[in-house]
Amino acid sequence: MDINIKSLRTELLLNYYHPMPLKTFILRDPKTRKISKSDFRDRVIHHALINIIEPIFDKTFIYDSCANRKGKGTSFAVKRFEEFQRKVTKNYSSYGYCLKADIKHYFPEVNHDILISIIKRRIKDEKFIWLIKKIIKNTPNGSDQEKGMPLGNLTSQFFANVYLNELDYFVKHSPKAKYYIRYVDDFVILHSSKEQLKIWKDKIQKFLKYNLNLDLHPEKSKMIPLSRGIDFVGFRNFYHFKLLRKRNIRSMKNKVEQYKENKITKAKFFEIYQGWSVYSEWADSSNIRENILKEINK
């Protein structure tokens, strides 16, 4: 291990470092995704890099950017959604609406030059920029690509927030949307006026197109009455209760079947179940959890 670390250090000092090719595989749980994973030695570099630059960028992120940040996450996003929902509807006594939006093909469409230009505003060290470029350009399709970040890398998760921090600032300071929450490429804006949300949606679409080379997903970006329940961070959020998404329940049931068929080890399954159980407690899902336990015990 010491020899490998020393070798990496030498490569970095001499600007000779080259990432290994990514290993790509398809994950179909809960939905089909193409995951590209870096070699272990490259992941060591990723963690070291993020340890240094995360404190620099994190303090620039807005309070309601919830993904891949210490002290945030899905539970934080759910709490903020509940808080905003109460404010917009005046404690559920009036109508409210939600712009539920999703960015189309986000990770494959991140523009490398735009991302680097954003990073350069905070990072001036040329060696750091050289290393960041090496990591960003290590794509499944080769280093000649001008866009795209692989799902599966710590750096991709971090740079996803850096890139969309531009959107966060625009939403908070140009349309001046007060009740805005973002979780990776999925975001919501709450307001009492549906017409106001339509205006903001058009402004956001233009900003994304001309500043970040991105588009809103035409089918997944719409205005929805809050009373109908809003799909956000894995839950269907209603006024007085939350439900787990059906896809999430199906995924857990599939894991139970795989465990019963000895396709998953006992240790791995209970690790999965523990995580799911804690997550599901945020919803009104006691009956579902009870049924899942019955299936396990069979």
Side-chain angles (χ1 to χ4, degrees), residues 10-19 116 120 123 125-137:
T10 302
E11 289 178 32
L12 290 169
L13 287 172
L14 297 176
N15 284 17
Y16 188 68
Y17 168 72
H18 295 285
I116 292 294
K120 280 184 174 180
I123 305 295
D125 188 291
E126 286 302 321
K127 282 197 171 184
F128 252 91
I129 297 299
W130 170 81
L131 177 58
I132 289 169
K133 284 181 179 177
K134 283 283 184 182
I135 293 169
I136 291 172
K137 291 292 182 182

